[in-house]
């Protein structure tokens, strides 16, 4: 179910999101728990990169003339 949610939420055409998707898919297909845990670092790094990029988009949108609170 989580894999399906990620498929729906991530845009595989964007490089950062594709990297995150690839890592999660790799983890999903590993058999041993230790092998999955060994991928925690790259998973966190990829997730942080996606969140940083998305936060940058939000900040740019909020600074635009189109987004004016109270109007």
């Amino acid at each position: 179910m989580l894999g399906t949610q990620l498929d729906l939420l991530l845009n595989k055409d964007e490089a950062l999101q594709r990297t995150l998707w690839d890592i999660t898919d790799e983890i999903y297909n590993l058999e041993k728990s230790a092998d999955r845990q060994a991928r925690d670092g790259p998973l966190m790094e990829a997730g942080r990169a996606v969140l940083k990029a998305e936060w940058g988009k939000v900040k740019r949108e909020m600074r635009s003339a189109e987004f004016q609170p109270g109007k």
Side-chain angles (χ1 to χ4, degrees):
M1 188 164 97
L2 181 57
T4 300
Q5 289 175 336
L6 285 172
D7 279 343
L8 293 171
L9 294 172
L10 295 175
N11 179 353
K12 295 180 213 169
D13 292 332
E14 291 189 25
L16 292 175
Q17 292 187 31
R18 178 63 192 217
T19 299
L20 178 57
W21 189 91
D22 287 342
I23 291 169
T24 58
D25 188 54
E26 178 185 336
I27 290 170
Y28 177 77
N29 289 306
L30 292 171
E31 293 183 22
K32 296 180 182 177
S33 178
D35 292 338
R36 290 191 297 272
Q37 288 176 351
R39 301 296 292 149
D40 281 353
L43 176 65
M44 295 300 289
E45 185 178 319
R48 286 184 181 124
V50 169
L51 289 174
K52 182 178 180 180
E54 293 303 311
W55 181 238
K57 289 179 188 178
V58 169
K59 289 191 292 186
R60 283 190 300 278
E61 288 174 9
M62 291 181 70
R63 289 185 194 125
S64 74
E66 295 174 13
F67 182 84
Q68 296 299 318
K71 287 189 177 182

